[in-house]
Amino acid sequence: MVSLSKQPLFNTLLSHFSVSVFGSEPWAIRLPAFIAGILIIPATYLVMRKFYDKRTALIATALVASSSLLIDYSTQSRGYSIQVLIFLILILLAIQILRTDSRLAWTGFGLSAILGFYTVPTTLYFFPPVLIWMLISGFRGYGNVSRRALLIKASITCLAVAAITVLLYLPVVLRSGLSSLVSNQFVRSLAWSKFLRGFPGNVKDMWSSWNIAIPLPLAFLFLLGFILSVLFHRRLSPQPVNLSLVVIGWCLLLLFAQRVLPFARCWIPLLPLYMGGVSAGLYFIHRRFLDFVNERRGEKLSFSPWSACLLVIALSLALALLVVGKQTPYQRDELGNLSIGTFRDAERVTLFLKNRLKPQEAVYSSWAANIPLEYYFQKHGVPIKYLGFHNNNPEAIKKAYFAVSAKEGHTIELVLASAVNFGNFDRS
């Protein structure tokens, strides 16, 4: 459970509507992100069908459907699954614009970009490269839009997206200040030496997060498939411009201009695009292998469509079983390491304490358990003033409860450290 007030704005708005209709239940809060996570699967198929072919699209869909990271963020009310879906929709609309130049596609493209920025500001890493890719493709003669019309309409769209995004964030700026968006600790520029030292590890963290629960040899095979899809793009795709290269180029340019090292979760929207490249590369290897066998045996060997479908289903199920067996969406951080990101006993702890808490008593927990405890305290009518991080007078506390869960990383040491950070205890 996460605090809605600290989450991306569009997801918070959708969750608010969901809670208004279905009540303040965990599943209702998570419903918008979950629906978006489900829609990522068919959206991936549609995008990869446009970029490659139906076989590659099917493989990519299987990989995306069984991705531990996407499963995880599709069940968290944090907005990242919505951002992934919007990124895929932007790509589909860009292709539609190039083919038809329809007013509806341009309008949808602009609205999708606005919703992307309103969901997570890191859409700045994903909307511009799609726009750049569309312009390069159009200028190279792909599609049915004149260069002049494409440039004018793209410029108008950018201005409209920027203006409306500023208006949407204006209440946040007026209330919390511009620094909360552009100069907080997560977006502040690093010294060049620190940035360059941390950059390789940041890239490794991104790749590791995309391969949670995937055996290392298979992860490297996936990486090889993606590299092959880049090297042999012209042979594998009807699209004249490789979107992956445009995205990589834009993101590198922006990162070096900003000198920031984003969290691995910020790159989640690129995961379906990566899996699409992986699928194209793997299918390319498959075809080359069959060609080699056919040359050696002097006869044509091929897989029937049903056999290919069964292999894809088997791959997806095998990866899904790894996710379920290792329980990676639980008790794991975005790199697959043991984390304190969950506290599944929060409701049980709340019910245990409900009729036991008395004046001058408090409950202390690690920082990650504070929010779920606050939610369940409110849900079950327990005053949140008993939670340590809400207590403004720690000297008056006569009895303290400590919420720990060693299996999820909530140790007594971390609880005490959290209490110290909130000023509830003296460091001595």
Side-chain angles (χ1 to χ4, degrees):
M1 191 61 55
V2 290
S3 172
L4 294 181
S5 62
K6 298 180 180 179
Q7 296 313 303
L9 298 179
F10 184 52
N11 177 71
T12 302
L13 182 64
L14 293 177
S15 295
H16 171 75
F17 289 139
S18 179
V19 167
S20 299
V21 175
F22 300 110
S24 183
E25 296 295 328
W27 66 266
I29 296 173
R30 294 167 174 155
L31 186 60
F34 177 73
I35 293 175
I38 296 297
L39 293 177
I40 288 171
I41 299 172
T44 298
Y45 179 84
L46 293 175
V47 169
M48 296 311 151
R49 180 75 183 265
K50 301 287 186 182
F51 269 89
Y52 300 105
D53 53 48
K54 61 182 180 181
R55 297 174 183 83
T56 298
L58 189 62
I59 299 171
T61 304
L63 296 178
V64 164
S66 55
S67 167
S68 177
L69 193 66
L70 290 175
I71 292 170
D72 187 1
Y73 280 93
S74 296
T75 57
Q76 292 189 33
S77 183
R78 303 188 69 176
Y80 288 99
S81 60
I82 297 174
Q83 188 187 31
V84 175
L85 178 62
I86 289 173
F87 179 58
L88 293 171
I89 291 173
L90 282 170
I91 297 172
L92 285 172
L93 289 172
I95 295 173
Q96 186 66 17
I97 287 170
L98 289 171
R99 291 183 174 178
T100 65
D101 192 28
S102 73
R103 184 177 300 177
L104 183 61
W106 276 110
T107 302
F109 188 73
L111 289 175
S112 298
I114 292 166
L115 291 178
F117 282 109
Y118 195 51
T119 301
V120 188
T122 53
T123 298
L124 184 62
Y125 291 110
F126 313 117
F127 167 63
V130 175
L131 187 67
I132 294 169
W133 173 83
M134 181 173 65
L135 289 171
I136 296 175
S137 298
F139 272 65
R140 292 187 61 179
Y142 179 81
N144 301 304
V145 190
S146 69
R147 296 179 180 180
R148 184 172 180 273
L150 186 62
L151 188 59
I152 292 174
K153 292 178 181 180
S155 300
I156 293 173
T157 300
C158 283
L159 290 174
V161 169
I164 297 174
T165 300
V166 168
L167 289 176
L168 289 173
Y169 275 98
L170 190 59
V172 177
V173 173
L174 293 176
R175 181 171 182 176
S176 304
L178 186 61
S179 60
S180 64
L181 290 176
V182 301
S183 61
N184 61 66
Q185 60 176 319
F186 303 114
V187 298
R188 194 177 297 126
S189 296
L190 301 172
W192 274 109
S193 58
K194 187 174 182 180
F195 172 76
L196 293 175
R197 284 198 306 269
F199 181 74
N202 191 256
V203 175
K204 179 179 178 295
D205 288 346
M206 177 191 68
W207 183 73
S208 298
S209 71
W210 291 357
N211 291 284
I212 297 174
I214 297 176
L216 192 59
L218 187 57
F220 278 112
L221 179 61
F222 285 180
L223 181 60
L224 173 63
F226 177 76
I227 293 172
L228 290 175
S229 74
V230 172
L231 294 176
F232 297 98
H233 174 77
R234 292 187 178 182
R235 296 176 58 179
L236 299 176
S237 175
Q239 302 294 334
V241 181
N242 191 326
L243 177 59
S244 296
L245 286 181
V246 177
V247 170
I248 293 171
W250 170 259
C251 290
L252 287 175
L253 179 65
L254 199 56
L255 284 178
F256 276 81
Q258 294 178 312
R259 298 200 313 275
V260 297
L261 298 174
F263 292 114
R265 62 177 175 267
C266 294
W267 304 113
I268 292 176
L270 300 182
L271 181 53
L273 190 62
Y274 173 75
M275 289 303 185
V278 167
S279 304
L282 293 179
Y283 186 60
F284 175 74
I285 294 173
H286 162 74
R287 287 190 298 174
R288 293 303 298 267
F289 174 75
L290 288 183
D291 291 342
F292 173 77
V293 173
N294 290 337
E295 287 182 7
R296 295 292 298 270
R297 297 181 58 179
E299 59 183 89
K300 187 174 182 180
L301 178 66
S302 63
F303 283 101
S304 69
W306 284 108
S307 299
C309 287
L310 289 175
L311 284 174
V312 170
I313 293 171
L315 173 64
S316 184
L317 286 176
L319 294 176
L321 288 173
L322 287 173
V323 173
V324 173
K326 296 182 178 180
Q327 292 194 334
T328 50
Y330 301 107
Q331 306 174 29
R332 302 280 163 174
D333 63 14
E334 58 197 42
L335 303 181
N337 304 313
L338 182 64
S339 171
I340 57 172
T342 59
F343 188 57
R344 285 181 283 173
D345 290 329
E347 187 169 25
R348 292 177 59 192
V349 169
T350 301
L351 294 174
F352 174 81
L353 294 172
K354 182 175 182 179
N355 298 318
R356 288 179 168 82
L357 289 171
K358 299 176 182 179
Q360 297 183 314
E361 295 182 351
V363 181
Y364 296 99
S365 58
S366 63
W367 63 268
N370 287 331
I371 299 303
L373 281 174
E374 182 179 25
Y375 167 80
Y376 283 112
F377 267 46
Q378 292 176 325
K379 180 181 178 181
H380 293 289
V382 183
I384 61 173
K385 66 180 182 180
Y386 287 114
L387 292 171
F389 70 101
H390 278 294
N391 193 296
N392 296 320
N393 188 21
E395 294 80 9
I397 300 300
K398 299 291 181 66
K399 183 178 180 180
Y401 292 91
F402 294 90
V404 299
S405 177
K407 67 180 181 179
E408 294 183 319
H410 302 276
T411 62
I412 187 66
E413 291 82 8
L414 284 173
V415 173
L416 289 171
S418 180
V420 168
N421 289 334
F422 280 111
N424 297 119
F425 294 124
D426 189 271
R427 289 185 180 275
S428 60

